[in-house]
Amino acid sequence: MDQPRFLPLEFERLSQPEMLGRARQHLGLMKKRRSVRDLAPDPVPRQLIELAISTASSAPSGANRQPWKFVAISDPKLKAEIRRAAEKEEKTSYQGRMPDEWLEALRPLGTDWRKPFLETAPWIVVVFAEAHGINRDGTRRKNYYVAESVGIACGLFITAIHNMGLVTLTHTPSPMGFLSKILERPPNERPYILFPVGYPAPEAKVPDIAKKSLEEVVVWK
């Protein structure tokens, strides 16, 4: 069994004023982040998507298994196919699968089964969670804390997209099995979340909603 290897930590201890300044600047930036459904068709360089995925892939994961796969789609035909399949599932959900309580919770967001952003956005990035790995000999390799690990990576992806001046939306049509088929992913991968990525349309609007206050989300002991 290989022994663990260690490297010196690259870390610079900052002064408290600089820490506060960075923290406030980042908070101000992220408070402007919104889920955007009105996207412009303007092209986005592939390099920006690569950088966002690289940032996401820096996330911690259970036993460092890194159980994620990012599929980046710019092909108009594939995007159209994904939209058709997603809207089919969403229409069924909105018109029968979702209970009244769920529909009422979604009402302030003004959403329905129509998902034009899946074609309008220059990029769709679909994140797959690797339920288990596969060794070179074809046997299974166990992954740990898959949902938690992939969720953290997705959070970093969202932050990276917002930081570079683009917008996105967390879209989870249910069920999402059609994504595995369309994108030809192996059985050990499960669709986790779909991100349309691009610039907001000039006429873009977002729901008038608020986040909980700090006092509502933290308990000090």
Side-chain angles (χ1 to χ4, degrees):
M1 182 179 295
D2 294 336
Q3 294 299 312
R5 295 182 299 137
F6 294 89
L7 298 170
L9 173 66
E10 294 184 17
F11 181 83
E12 178 187 359
R13 185 161 180 165
L14 305 175
S15 68
Q16 287 194 12
E18 185 172 358
M19 294 168 70
L20 283 169
R22 286 192 182 192
R24 286 171 176 150
Q25 182 181 28
H26 188 68
L27 174 60
L29 173 69
M30 295 312 298
K31 276 193 169 183
K32 294 179 181 178
R33 186 212 61 79
R34 296 299 302 266
S35 294
V36 178
R37 293 172 173 82
D38 299 322
L39 278 83
D42 307 40
V44 169
R46 172 173 164 165
Q47 186 178 19
L48 292 177
I49 304 302
E50 290 175 351
L51 289 168
I53 294 173
S54 293
T55 299
S57 294
S58 73
S61 61
N64 196 37
R65 290 290 201 239
Q66 304 166 62
W68 46 69
K69 186 72 71 176
F70 291 77
V71 181
I73 305 123
S74 60
D75 185 315
K77 291 182 179 179
L78 266 182
K79 289 191 295 179
E81 187 177 359
I82 289 171
R83 178 185 178 181
R84 287 193 297 270
E87 287 187 335
K88 180 180 178 181
E89 294 295 352
E90 290 287 85
K91 189 172 185 179
T92 301
S93 292
Y94 273 87
Q95 296 181 354
R97 274 198 295 242
M98 290 180 179
D100 291 341
E101 183 180 10
W102 191 349
L103 293 172
E104 185 60 31
L106 290 172
R107 197 178 306 280
L109 304 180
T111 60
D112 60 25
W113 61 267
R114 299 170 182 85
K115 310 298 175 185
F117 51 77
L118 292 175
E119 279 191 274
T120 307
W123 289 95
I124 293 175
V125 178
V126 182
V127 185
F128 286 82
E130 191 181 73
H132 61 83
I134 300 176
N135 294 312
R136 291 183 179 179
D137 62 2
T139 58
R140 289 191 176 196
R141 182 185 69 244
K142 184 174 176 59
N143 287 336
Y144 304 92
Y145 300 104
V146 173
E148 295 86 348
S149 301
V150 179
I152 294 169
C154 287
L156 290 183
F157 181 82
I158 293 168
T159 303
I161 289 296
H162 181 67
N163 182 61
M164 65 178 61
L166 298 173
V167 297
T168 188
L169 164 71
T170 54
H171 183 44
T172 52
S174 179
M176 292 197 289
F178 65 88
L179 289 168
S180 298
K181 182 178 180 180
I182 292 173
L183 299 176
E184 300 178 320
R185 301 314 304 160
N188 64 314
E189 294 179 9
R190 301 286 185 270
Y192 187 87
I193 202 164
L194 182 157
F195 293 106
V197 179
Y199 296 99
E203 70 280 5
K205 294 183 179 180
V206 293
D208 184 8
I209 56 177
K211 298 296 183 182
K212 292 181 179 180
S213 67
L214 180 64
E215 290 72 20
E216 291 176 287
V217 301
V218 67
V219 177
W220 304 100
K221 292 288 189 180

Coordinates of all heavy atoms in Angstrom, one line a residue, residues 34-38 87 90-91 93-95 98-117 168-173 205-209:
R34 N -28.0 36.3 -9.4 CA -29.4 35.9 -9.5 C -29.5 34.8 -10.5 O -28.7 34.6 -11.4 CB -30.3 37.1 -10.0 CG -30.4 38.3 -9.1 CD -31.0 37.9 -7.7 NE -32.3 37.3 -7.9 CZ -33.4 38.0 -7.8 NH1 -33.4 39.3 -7.6 NH2 -34.6 37.4 -7.9
S35 N -30.5 33.9 -10.3 CA -30.8 32.9 -11.3 C -31.5 33.6 -12.5 O -32.5 34.3 -12.2 CB -31.7 31.9 -10.7 OG -31.0 31.1 -9.7
V36 N -31.0 33.5 -13.7 CA -31.5 34.3 -14.8 C -32.1 33.3 -15.9 O -31.4 32.4 -16.3 CB -30.4 35.1 -15.4 CG1 -30.9 35.9 -16.7 CG2 -29.9 36.1 -14.4
R37 N -33.3 33.5 -16.2 CA -34.0 32.7 -17.2 C -34.1 33.3 -18.6 O -34.4 32.7 -19.6 CB -35.4 32.3 -16.7 CG -35.3 31.4 -15.5 CD -36.7 31.1 -14.9 NE -36.7 30.2 -13.9 CZ -36.3 30.4 -12.6 NH1 -35.9 31.6 -12.3 NH2 -36.2 29.4 -11.7
D38 N -33.8 34.6 -18.7 CA -33.8 35.4 -19.9 C -32.4 35.5 -20.4 O -31.7 36.5 -19.9 CB -34.5 36.7 -19.8 CG -35.9 36.6 -19.4 OD1 -36.6 35.7 -19.8 OD2 -36.4 37.4 -18.6
E87 N -38.7 19.9 -21.8 CA -40.1 20.5 -21.7 C -41.1 19.4 -21.7 O -42.2 19.6 -21.0 CB -40.3 21.4 -22.9 CG -39.5 22.7 -22.9 CD -39.9 23.7 -24.0 OE1 -40.3 23.2 -25.1 OE2 -39.7 24.9 -23.8
E90 N -41.1 18.5 -18.0 CA -41.6 19.6 -17.2 C -43.1 19.8 -17.4 O -43.8 20.1 -16.5 CB -40.9 20.9 -17.6 CG -39.4 20.9 -17.2 CD -39.2 21.1 -15.7 OE1 -39.3 20.0 -14.9 OE2 -39.0 22.2 -15.2
K91 N -43.6 19.7 -18.6 CA -45.0 19.8 -18.9 C -45.8 18.8 -18.1 O -46.9 19.1 -17.5 CB -45.3 19.7 -20.4 CG -46.8 20.1 -20.7 CD -46.9 20.1 -22.3 CE -48.3 20.6 -22.6 NZ -48.5 20.7 -24.1
S93 N -44.9 17.4 -15.4 CA -44.8 17.7 -13.9 C -45.7 18.9 -13.6 O -46.5 18.8 -12.6 CB -43.3 18.1 -13.6 OG -42.5 17.0 -13.7
Y94 N -45.7 20.0 -14.3 CA -46.5 21.1 -14.0 C -48.0 20.8 -14.2 O -48.8 21.4 -13.5 CB -46.1 22.3 -14.9 CG -45.0 23.1 -14.4 CD1 -43.7 22.8 -14.6 CD2 -45.3 24.3 -13.6 CE1 -42.6 23.6 -14.2 CE2 -44.2 25.0 -13.1 CZ -42.9 24.7 -13.4 OH -41.9 25.4 -12.9
Q95 N -48.3 19.9 -15.1 CA -49.8 19.6 -15.3 C -50.3 18.3 -14.6 O -51.4 17.9 -14.9 CB -50.0 19.5 -16.8 CG -49.7 20.8 -17.5 CD -50.0 20.7 -19.0 OE1 -50.3 19.6 -19.6 NE2 -49.9 21.8 -19.7
M98 N -46.7 17.5 -10.1 CA -46.4 18.4 -8.9 C -47.7 18.6 -8.1 O -48.7 18.9 -8.6 CB -45.9 19.7 -9.4 CG -44.5 19.8 -10.0 SD -44.1 21.5 -10.5 CE -42.4 21.2 -11.1
P99 N -47.5 18.4 -6.8 CA -48.7 18.7 -5.9 C -49.0 20.2 -5.9 O -48.1 21.0 -6.2 CB -48.3 18.1 -4.6 CG -46.8 18.1 -4.6 CD -46.4 17.9 -6.0
D100 N -50.2 20.5 -5.5 CA -50.6 22.0 -5.4 C -49.6 22.8 -4.5 O -49.3 23.9 -4.8 CB -52.0 22.1 -4.9 CG -53.0 21.6 -5.9 OD1 -52.7 21.4 -7.1 OD2 -54.2 21.3 -5.5
E101 N -49.1 22.2 -3.4 CA -48.2 22.9 -2.5 C -47.0 23.3 -3.2 O -46.4 24.4 -3.0 CB -47.9 22.0 -1.3 CG -47.1 22.7 -0.3 CD -46.8 21.8 0.9 OE1 -47.1 20.6 0.8 OE2 -46.2 22.3 1.9
W102 N -46.4 22.4 -4.1 CA -45.2 22.7 -4.8 C -45.5 23.8 -5.8 O -44.7 24.8 -6.0 CB -44.7 21.4 -5.5 CG -43.3 21.5 -6.1 CD1 -42.6 22.6 -6.2 CD2 -42.6 20.4 -6.6 NE1 -41.4 22.3 -6.8 CE2 -41.3 21.0 -7.0 CE3 -42.8 19.1 -6.7 CZ2 -40.3 20.2 -7.6 CZ3 -41.8 18.3 -7.3 CH2 -40.6 18.8 -7.7
L103 N -46.6 23.7 -6.6 CA -46.9 24.7 -7.5 C -47.1 26.1 -6.9 O -46.7 27.1 -7.5 CB -48.2 24.3 -8.3 CG -48.1 23.1 -9.2 CD1 -49.4 22.7 -9.7 CD2 -47.1 23.4 -10.4
E104 N -47.7 26.1 -5.7 CA -47.8 27.4 -5.0 C -46.5 27.9 -4.6 O -46.3 29.2 -4.6 CB -48.7 27.1 -3.8 CG -49.1 28.4 -3.0 CD -49.9 29.4 -3.9 OE1 -50.6 29.0 -4.8 OE2 -49.7 30.6 -3.6
A105 N -45.6 27.1 -4.2 CA -44.2 27.5 -3.8 C -43.5 28.1 -5.0 O -42.7 29.1 -4.8 CB -43.4 26.4 -3.2
L106 N -43.7 27.6 -6.2 CA -43.1 28.1 -7.4 C -43.7 29.4 -7.9 O -43.1 30.1 -8.7 CB -43.1 27.1 -8.4 CG -42.2 25.8 -8.2 CD1 -42.5 24.8 -9.3 CD2 -40.7 26.2 -8.2
R107 N -44.9 29.7 -7.5 CA -45.7 30.8 -8.1 C -44.9 32.1 -8.1 O -44.9 32.9 -9.1 CB -47.1 30.9 -7.4 CG -48.0 31.8 -8.2 CD -49.4 31.8 -7.5 NE -49.9 30.5 -7.2 CZ -50.5 29.7 -8.1 NH1 -50.7 30.1 -9.3 NH2 -50.9 28.5 -7.7
P108 N -44.3 32.5 -7.0 CA -43.5 33.8 -6.9 C -42.4 33.9 -7.9 O -41.9 35.0 -8.3 CB -43.0 33.9 -5.5 CG -43.9 33.0 -4.7 CD -44.2 31.8 -5.6
L109 N -41.9 32.7 -8.4 CA -40.9 32.7 -9.4 C -41.3 32.9 -10.8 O -40.5 33.1 -11.8 CB -40.0 31.4 -9.3 CG -39.5 31.1 -7.9 CD1 -38.7 29.8 -7.9 CD2 -38.6 32.3 -7.4
G110 N -42.6 32.7 -11.0 CA -43.2 32.9 -12.4 C -42.8 31.8 -13.4 O -42.7 32.1 -14.6
T111 N -42.4 30.6 -13.0 CA -41.9 29.6 -13.9 C -43.1 28.7 -14.4 O -44.2 28.7 -13.8 CB -40.9 28.7 -13.2 OG1 -41.5 28.0 -12.1 CG2 -39.7 29.5 -12.7
D112 N -42.8 28.1 -15.6 CA -43.8 27.1 -16.1 C -42.9 26.1 -16.8 O -41.7 26.0 -16.7 CB -44.8 27.7 -17.0 CG -44.3 28.5 -18.2 OD1 -43.1 28.1 -18.6 OD2 -44.9 29.4 -18.7
W113 N -43.6 25.2 -17.6 CA -42.9 24.1 -18.3 C -42.0 24.5 -19.4 O -41.2 23.8 -19.9 CB -43.9 23.0 -18.7 CG -44.9 23.5 -19.7 CD1 -46.1 24.0 -19.4 CD2 -44.8 23.5 -21.1 NE1 -46.8 24.3 -20.6 CE2 -46.0 24.0 -21.6 CE3 -43.8 23.1 -22.0 CZ2 -46.2 24.2 -23.0 CZ3 -44.0 23.3 -23.4 CH2 -45.2 23.8 -23.9
R114 N -42.2 25.7 -19.9 CA -41.5 26.2 -21.1 C -40.1 26.6 -20.7 O -39.9 27.4 -19.7 CB -42.2 27.4 -21.7 CG -43.6 27.0 -22.2 CD -44.4 28.3 -22.7 NE -45.7 27.9 -23.1 CZ -46.8 27.8 -22.3 NH1 -46.6 28.0 -21.0 NH2 -48.0 27.5 -22.7
K115 N -39.1 26.1 -21.4 CA -37.7 26.4 -21.1 C -36.9 26.9 -22.3 O -35.9 26.2 -22.8 CB -37.0 25.1 -20.5 CG -37.8 24.4 -19.4 CD -38.0 25.3 -18.2 CE -38.9 24.7 -17.1 NZ -39.1 25.6 -16.0
P116 N -37.2 28.0 -22.9 CA -36.5 28.5 -24.1 C -35.0 28.8 -23.8 O -34.3 28.7 -24.8 CB -37.3 29.8 -24.4 CG -37.9 30.3 -23.1 CD -38.3 29.0 -22.4
F117 N -34.6 29.0 -22.6 CA -33.2 29.3 -22.3 C -32.3 28.1 -22.7 O -31.1 28.3 -22.9 CB -33.0 29.7 -20.9 CG -33.6 28.8 -19.9 CD1 -33.0 27.6 -19.5 CD2 -34.8 29.1 -19.2 CE1 -33.5 26.7 -18.6 CE2 -35.4 28.2 -18.3 CZ -34.7 27.0 -18.0
T168 N -26.2 32.3 -14.9 CA -26.6 30.9 -15.1 C -27.9 30.7 -14.3 O -28.4 31.6 -13.6 CB -25.5 29.9 -14.7 OG1 -25.9 28.6 -15.0 CG2 -25.2 30.0 -13.2
L169 N -28.4 29.5 -14.4 CA -29.6 29.0 -13.7 C -29.4 27.6 -13.3 O -28.9 26.8 -14.1 CB -30.8 29.2 -14.7 CG -32.1 28.5 -14.3 CD1 -32.7 29.1 -13.1 CD2 -33.0 28.4 -15.5
T170 N -29.8 27.2 -12.1 CA -29.8 25.8 -11.7 C -31.1 25.2 -12.2 O -32.2 25.5 -11.7 CB -29.7 25.7 -10.2 OG1 -30.7 26.4 -9.6 CG2 -28.3 26.2 -9.7
H171 N -31.0 24.3 -13.2 CA -32.2 23.7 -13.8 C -32.1 22.2 -13.5 O -31.2 21.5 -13.8 CB -32.3 24.0 -15.3 CG -33.5 23.4 -15.9 ND1 -34.8 23.5 -15.4 CD2 -33.6 22.8 -17.1 CE1 -35.6 22.9 -16.2 NE2 -35.0 22.5 -17.3
T172 N -33.2 21.6 -12.9 CA -33.3 20.2 -12.6 C -34.6 19.6 -13.1 O -35.5 19.3 -12.2 CB -33.1 20.0 -11.1 OG1 -34.0 20.8 -10.4 CG2 -31.6 20.3 -10.7
P173 N -34.8 19.5 -14.3 CA -36.0 18.8 -14.8 C -36.1 17.4 -14.2 O -35.1 16.7 -14.1 CB -35.8 18.8 -16.3 CG -34.4 18.9 -16.6 CD -33.8 19.7 -15.4
K205 N -35.4 40.1 -16.7 CA -36.0 40.5 -15.4 C -35.9 39.3 -14.5 O -35.8 38.2 -15.0 CB -37.4 41.0 -15.5 CG -37.6 42.3 -16.3 CD -39.0 42.7 -16.3 CE -39.2 44.0 -17.0 NZ -40.6 44.5 -17.0
V206 N -35.8 39.6 -13.2 CA -35.8 38.5 -12.2 C -36.9 38.7 -11.2 O -37.3 39.8 -11.0 CB -34.4 38.4 -11.5 CG1 -33.3 38.0 -12.5 CG2 -34.1 39.8 -10.9
P207 N -37.3 37.6 -10.5 CA -38.4 37.7 -9.5 C -38.0 38.6 -8.4 O -36.8 38.7 -8.0 CB -38.6 36.3 -9.0 CG -38.0 35.4 -10.1 CD -36.9 36.2 -10.7
D208 N -39.0 39.3 -7.9 CA -38.8 40.2 -6.7 C -38.9 39.4 -5.4 O -39.9 39.3 -4.8 CB -39.8 41.4 -6.7 CG -39.6 42.4 -5.6 OD1 -38.6 42.3 -4.9 OD2 -40.5 43.2 -5.4
I209 N -37.8 38.8 -5.1 CA -37.7 37.9 -3.9 C -36.5 38.4 -3.0 O -35.7 39.1 -3.5 CB -37.6 36.4 -4.3 CG1 -36.4 36.2 -5.1 CG2 -38.9 36.0 -5.0 CD1 -36.1 34.8 -5.5

